[in-house]
Amino acid sequence: MKTSSDHIQDYNAPLEKEQKRQFDFLAESLEKKGLNVPSLLQKIQDLQIAIPSWALGTGGTRFGRFSGGGEPATLTQKIQDVGIIHALNKSSNAVSLHIPWDIPEDYEAIKAVAQSVGIGFDAVNSNTFQDQDGQSQSYKFGSLANDTLAVRELAVQHNLEVIEIGKKLGSKALTVWLADGSSFPGQNSFRKSLDNTFQSLREIYKGLPEDWKMLVEYKPYEPNFYSTVIQDWGTSFLLANKLGPKAFTLVDLGHHLPNTNIEQIVSTLMTEGKLGGFHFNDSKYGDDDLTVGSIKPYQLFLIFTELIAGFTETQNPNPAWMIDASHNLKDPMEDLLQSVQAIKMSFTQALLVDNEQLKSAQENHDVAAAQEILQDAFRTDVRPLVNEAIRQSGGAINALEAYRKLGIREQLIKERGSKTKATGL
Amino acid sequence: MKTSSDHIQDYNAPLEKEQKRQFDFLAESLEKKGLNVPSLLQKIQDLQIAIPSWALGTGGTRFGRFSGGGEPATLTQKIQDVGIIHALNKSSNAVSLHIPWDIPEDYEAIKAVAQSVGIGFDAVNSNTFQDQDGQSQSYKFGSLANDTLAVRELAVQHNLEVIEIGKKLGSKALTVWLADGSSFPGQNSFRKSLDNTFQSLREIYKGLPEDWKMLVEYKPYEPNFYSTVIQDWGTSFLLANKLGPKAFTLVDLGHHLPNTNIEQIVSTLMTEGKLGGFHFNDSKYGDDDLTVGSIKPYQLFLIFTELIAGFTETQNPNPAWMIDASHNLKDPMEDLLQSVQAIKMSFTQALLVDNEQLKSAQENHDVAAAQEILQDAFRTDVRPLVNEAIRQSGGAINALEAYRKLGIREQLIKERGSKTKATGL
Amino acid sequence: MKTSSDHIQDYNAPLEKEQKRQFDFLAESLEKKGLNVPSLLQKIQDLQIAIPSWALGTGGTRFGRFSGGGEPATLTQKIQDVGIIHALNKSSNAVSLHIPWDIPEDYEAIKAVAQSVGIGFDAVNSNTFQDQDGQSQSYKFGSLANDTLAVRELAVQHNLEVIEIGKKLGSKALTVWLADGSSFPGQNSFRKSLDNTFQSLREIYKGLPEDWKMLVEYKPYEPNFYSTVIQDWGTSFLLANKLGPKAFTLVDLGHHLPNTNIEQIVSTLMTEGKLGGFHFNDSKYGDDDLTVGSIKPYQLFLIFTELIAGFTETQNPNPAWMIDASHNLKDPMEDLLQSVQAIKMSFTQALLVDNEQLKSAQENHDVAAAQEILQDAFRTDVRPLVNEAIRQSGGAINALEAYRKLGIREQLIKERGSKTKATGL
Amino acid sequence: MKTSSDHIQDYNAPLEKEQKRQFDFLAESLEKKGLNVPSLLQKIQDLQIAIPSWALGTGGTRFGRFSGGGEPATLTQKIQDVGIIHALNKSSNAVSLHIPWDIPEDYEAIKAVAQSVGIGFDAVNSNTFQDQDGQSQSYKFGSLANDTLAVRELAVQHNLEVIEIGKKLGSKALTVWLADGSSFPGQNSFRKSLDNTFQSLREIYKGLPEDWKMLVEYKPYEPNFYSTVIQDWGTSFLLANKLGPKAFTLVDLGHHLPNTNIEQIVSTLMTEGKLGGFHFNDSKYGDDDLTVGSIKPYQLFLIFTELIAGFTETQNPNPAWMIDASHNLKDPMEDLLQSVQAIKMSFTQALLVDNEQLKSAQENHDVAAAQEILQDAFRTDVRPLVNEAIRQSGGAINALEAYRKLGIREQLIKERGSKTKATGL
């Protein structure tokens, strides 16, 4: 199915008046503060968040998965789902493929499908944390870090193939999430594991096209429960520096120990020009992969404050933005619409921060004022502004509501059945 | 396959002399301190740790599972595996079944198998965290706590059936681990969820035979990532008190927030007479379900110190002991042998604590001395004592080594194949 | 000094028009949703948050303290400071005294001072975590839990004296924060410590007037670093139940292990009728005692959502509300004004939750809708409503700004000097 | 006072026989495994742990301090206390001074005192986390990272002075622990703070003698509670790399977020040649500064396993070793004796690891065997070996017991009084 622009306009029509009332009031308030509202609208429109191909189906935990209906069974259907999201929110114009789950059979056909719904191809993702049927070597004890040369070679080869697939689709980045590590003290030599990983990544790096980036994720634990080879930003940063100018660190919000100050990590990486990408989600305990903004919206705002400061104050290239969440309980598309909306709200609030005043408060050690300045932006109800930006782009004033009113899931179930199950986790 | 006593004696023979050398030296040292070595040996022999039926197969995470060979495919095979473990270590004379994974088809046959390898039936475990094929209602949004009456009734009925199965096998306890909770603020009413849970547990409690216990687990998170209905010992204790004298709290070592003082919880529950059972495992981050003693052996010792103190100083009935770990990387039987050995070592170290001296140090606020007294017990290498107790019971001097030397896994693979996959997680 | 109503009205005058513009727009929006704005204003006005006497001075850490100027040196000055806060925000009409730091020399005089600035006396707080000069026994190794009877008796006696002081002032509650615990395994017997504590509290409870409450705090660690006798809500709840109907649990937001779901604890305690009081602050790592709402404003909102639900759906008596923060870097009065404002904003947002819709979403397991309903309230910029409530009560439209514009700290420094140091931590 | 060798020999005499019995048995067991016992004894004797000058007095928390008797009031007395410790355990032949608490008035006299008790001078420590009386600028809002140039200059100057002091005493390293950070979002610019810190450290680095090291500590929080400029090893490492070959990272065991894998950090830093020093202590919650080995002895062993591997497998220069604990409840000297003993035990256990077997298990992915190999070393009761090494060096067989039997604290109280209070925290 495709969501037509007409449907969205029909949905919008009865809401336009109230939207205008709210937007006008907010715009007036912002202009009184000296903000340029048209410029804000433009920036909000420009912010596009990629959708990972594995996020269109229901996720699960080690204790089980409860599938929903109408899930996409093919790559074409996954791209169509991203297309629906983008039609509704005009904010998700790319898909990030996961190999081998999403290897296209016919590249031209897949590209045509994507183009027809306005979707491009973001970073491609390799998978060396699972064995595929008939695989010659097992990743049970690691892949790029494995002590066994043949396993490392297989994992390197897989990553090189992922690059080839990405090249055919127009991707410009390879994301490497390395689950390698150990679950027990003594299982591995930290030193050898790190060195193996570096050597393997260097082989992959050699195969990277000139205009590509390599994005190296870090994560403290899970699926290994004693150590992870790339356990923190420091390790990823160390590797990225050794690899070269095309290698960057990727931050996944859920990949941190309790209480980590993530916004500071973002700032440091941008200062060093090494923040390559972002996986958005939210969490309370570990890598919970919940809807963005559902647990710690203020932290998200603080992170965006750093990102926006970094855009203007550092040489860091624009990072790749992506959702990376697991939709265990909600309709995946509803979950993604909520996540993208949360990102846009935080981004917008961060745009409202009065940086001149903030800088002055900082110089004067006026701690209370600095807090007031940040919270003034955060407390502002920016929904009319975000929704206006989307509306002006042709999207729905309230994308989630539109998704429901237009009966999209019901149609997908009709088309695809209620028992399909998306490939992936 | 069965491990014969002869095989074990053959394995032991060449080790007897060195075992005697070490044991004699340790026994002499302990007797110098006034300890009664024969009594220690008896207590170590008496300690039996149940093996859960789901632990004989390879475990996994949401990211995948890497199966091993020779896994048990049937309940009979699972019980045989427990029999092998018990033959080797003489310390695991019971199995804890998980329903519906392990419903016996022929009760008398299963009981005969168990009896033939010296295994009894410990607590039975219900499962309302997964949907079974054809289930009339889904547990996706909870079971005993679900807002929907029909779901709660189904979950209650399931637990009552588990009791019936346990009765036929000779079990004396029902363990309820309730995954119910929410992954997002607002998803559930805490109040209604707790009340629903209490009402459901009360219905199950009514079906509990007079000489049974109900063991109520708690856990802060996973598989739900915002809230869990029975989030901590306080909630479980509150419910157990309301349910009545047959209801108890069960402590799983992995079910705590970071840095929780678990030994203090054990002490409080025993003081109140409400510690019903224990699930042993180890962890660094969350419910990692690692081999007992592999990460925090000193914490395990401190817990046993409380347990042993509780045995003599409180009215708490003897708790049920069980391993509850996930064997993602190791041979499950090796993992279980290591876990039981770790438990016996901690138990033995705790038996060595000089309680009179400790009490005196506490009364004198002699903090340094109190630490020395505990650490003197912990630093003692008790392996010769534990191994002697097992040896005298007819087990192997080093059960893990014997398992390997006797080629047990190889035989199981020959018998069962290298591609079997145990039912369970 | 005293802040006159005239000064505040002068400050307000030029802001009235913009305040009206914003309030009118918000009121219209809320009324469209069916909310009763006058009733909201009344509820906001009624919410009063007590100020602890120790919070008027600069706080510190074990690494040092950097005092500010104009700190109150006497109890009279402390009460005057609370009076200034209340004059500005009309939301802090009580002070909570800490004994022995704030023992009045002349009760009638102190009451007269308090009355003159519109301040009453909230819960009194005992201190058995420090030794006072010339104390006959030391609390170094515990107070109510101490193994030594004479120490326990001294600590009980102190609490009884605190009650006597509170009676003379019109307090109706005793707050017991017990630092007792241990820093090393073995230092204390958990069991004896808990029993000693219960016996001591029972002695104090006997001295409690009929219309008083005893509020029992819990805390996992600090100043002891291995165990705390009342380590969690479960332990406090257990003690409160044993003590009797006048004993309640007090929740301090900073007294939890990482990632604790505090709102669920609030719900459980209210369901059981045992939530007695609240200490507000915010934190990222431990008991950081930061300004309320400065780190996790969404969590604060979720807590208020539970509190408000508890008010209507449970029999729990109204809890005592108090700030309990440490002002290490900010002007203490500015910090307190920010904290009270944050509490009022969260409270107001929680009042906006559409409980009928939420209940319906919960019954339908509509997780995405439930999130939208909560976040709709949280995302609403309630500042115009809160400020209007304060304005209509005679307070300042922006209390913090008024405090600065009126030059209050400068006057206090002029009156009291720049080197005073408040008693307390 | 001074502890004479004769006193120690008198204490040892009646214990020699039992010590020999235990040592001989252990030595025989170790030699059976192919270990070279004389070489082990030599390595244990060579391990020397510096004592910080601030650790000889009673520590405290923000809630108070409970002093003990006989505390050293002068630098001379502090050095004498270290001398007593060293006389007893022959393992602490250096003191680490804290400036400005320990500025010598007469350098030659202080050096003579130190020499007379066999004590040298380890790293010197600067203090820019507190203001000293009459200081021209305040560190309230930071020192090396402060936005205000004059404050940074003062802090740089202080560090340069500390170097000068160290030069006169024979120190070869400067330890910089930087408390700088923020307690509220917005208080500082992360980017500017980091840059200011780098610029300041560079100025200090310029003043560093050729044969000195600069040791840069990291810490996630406390005394600041939102952010710390050097929040983790990655940030310290980044700075050390930019500063040059004389700059290194210093690891303090208590300066990590919950569940951090510290041993992996040690391994990574040594691989990169940037591990400069170690502050030993233990903790359960935060920077609890408890006795080494009192909470997590297995973690300590794992750290030493990495250190010892790093010594032979990397080019990392030998790190500086120091205790850094806070003695709130125990006699400081007893606490230090326990800590040094715990370090020596962990070190010795790590020396027992069979690295050939471990390497082989790792290459074969034999996870269970790898665990057995490590735990075999950890489970070994090495006390007879450690005590023998100390005894052969002229120290006491049981240093803590000797300290008590010799009545050292009682004599110090007699000499210094029961109400002295050491300078420091």
Side-chain angles (χ1 to χ4, degrees), chain A residues 19-31:
Chain A
Q19 165 62 20
K20 187 172 183 334
R21 187 184 82 90
Q22 293 185 24
F23 172 68
D24 286 350
F25 181 82
L26 178 58
E28 184 186 342
S29 299
L30 297 176
E31 278 162 2

Side-chain angles (χ1 to χ4, degrees), chain B residues 157-218:
Chain B
Q157 194 54 42
H158 166 69
N159 274 278
L160 293 172
E161 285 162 15
V162 172
I163 294 172
E164 291 311 307
I165 291 167
K167 281 159 72 175
K168 292 186 199 159
L169 293 169
S171 292
K172 293 293 175 195
L174 170 72
T175 298
V176 180
W177 171 53
L178 198 64
D180 291 26
S182 66
S183 280
F184 296 97
Q187 179 183 335
N188 290 330
S189 155
F190 294 131
R191 204 176 322 283
K192 281 181 71 176
S193 294
L194 185 59
D195 188 54
N196 287 339
T197 299
F198 171 59
Q199 304 297 341
S200 298
L201 287 174
R202 195 165 57 177
E203 290 306 305
I204 298 165
Y205 191 89
K206 285 180 193 164
L208 210 63
E210 269 318 292
D211 59 346
W212 276 49
K213 292 179 189 167
M214 176 188 279
L215 308 177
V216 182
E217 286 196 62
Y218 59 90

Side-chain angles (χ1 to χ4, degrees), chain D residues 72-351:
Chain D
T74 65
L75 178 52
T76 298
Q77 290 181 344
K78 290 178 187 179
I79 292 172
Q80 284 169 338
D81 282 5
V82 178
I84 292 168
I85 291 170
H86 187 54
L88 289 165
N89 68 11
K90 294 296 177 190
S91 307
S92 310
N93 66 6
V95 65
S96 182
L97 299 193
H98 188 284
I99 309 300
W101 298 336
D102 302 310
I103 302 177
E105 294 183 9
D106 178 337
Y107 285 85
E108 294 314 310
I110 284 295
K111 282 162 79 173
V113 169
Q115 202 174 2
S116 75
V117 291
I119 298 300
F121 293 91
D122 203 77
V124 280
N125 303 268
S126 58
N127 175 343
T128 63
F129 54 89
Q130 292 179 320
D131 286 350
Q132 307 303 323
D133 280 346
Q135 195 170 297
S136 64
Q137 303 282 334
S138 172
Y139 297 139
K140 181 168 190 170
F141 300 104
S143 58
L144 298 180
N146 201 304
D147 249 18
T148 305
L149 177 62
V151 182
R152 293 201 300 277
E153 287 176 343
L154 184 72
V156 167
Q157 195 51 43
H158 166 68
N159 274 277
L160 293 172
E161 286 162 14
V162 172
I163 293 172
E164 290 311 307
I165 292 168
K167 280 159 72 175
K168 294 186 200 159
L169 293 168
S171 292
K172 292 293 176 196
L174 170 72
T175 297
V176 180
W177 171 53
L178 198 64
D180 290 27
S182 66
S183 281
F184 297 97
Q187 178 183 335
N188 290 330
S189 156
F190 294 131
R191 203 177 323 284
K192 283 181 71 176
S193 295
L194 184 59
D195 188 54
N196 287 339
T197 299
F198 171 59
Q199 305 297 342
S200 300
L201 287 173
R202 197 165 55 177
E203 290 307 304
I204 299 165
Y205 191 88
K206 284 180 194 163
L208 210 62
E210 269 319 291
D211 58 346
W212 275 49
K213 291 179 189 167
M214 177 189 279
L215 308 177
V216 182
E217 286 196 62
Y218 59 89
K219 186 174 184 180
Y221 65 95
E222 197 210 22
N224 279 294
F225 296 110
Y226 168 62
S227 73
T228 302
V229 177
I230 309 179
Q231 70 166 335
D232 52 17
W233 77 267
T235 311
S236 170
F237 178 71
L238 187 160
L239 290 167
N241 274 331
K242 290 195 178 187
L243 288 167
K246 292 183 287 183
F248 294 86
T249 295
L250 184 145
V251 176
D252 181 301
L253 289 182
H255 293 189
H256 299 88
L257 290 173
N259 307 337
T260 302
N261 189 321
I262 302 173
E263 50 270 34
Q264 188 175 359
I265 293 172
V266 168
S267 168
T268 302
L269 286 170
M270 291 189 88
T271 300
E272 299 295 317
K274 279 296 193 188
L275 180 67
F278 232 92
H279 281 185
F280 289 103
N281 49 56
D282 211 339
S283 54
K284 185 169 173 64
Y285 302 100
D287 189 24
D288 307 337
D289 277 335
L290 302 178
T291 318
V292 182
S294 63
I295 303 292
K296 298 173 187 161
Y298 192 51
Q299 185 195 57
L300 186 65
F301 161 77
L302 294 173
I303 288 167
F304 267 106
T305 302
E306 291 309 317
L307 288 168
I308 286 171
F311 290 159
T312 56
E313 298 171 17
T314 76
Q315 306 297 318
N316 195 84
N318 274 353
W321 312 100
M322 195 177 94
I323 309 282
D324 187 7
S326 183
H327 315 301
N328 304 356
L329 298 177
K330 295 177 184 169
D331 175 329
M333 280 205 270
E334 294 197 357
D335 209 335
L336 289 162
L337 288 168
Q338 288 185 314
S339 282
V340 174
Q341 181 77 357
I343 290 169
K344 292 217 142 178
M345 285 195 285
S346 291
F347 172 76
T348 304
Q349 289 168 328
L351 288 174

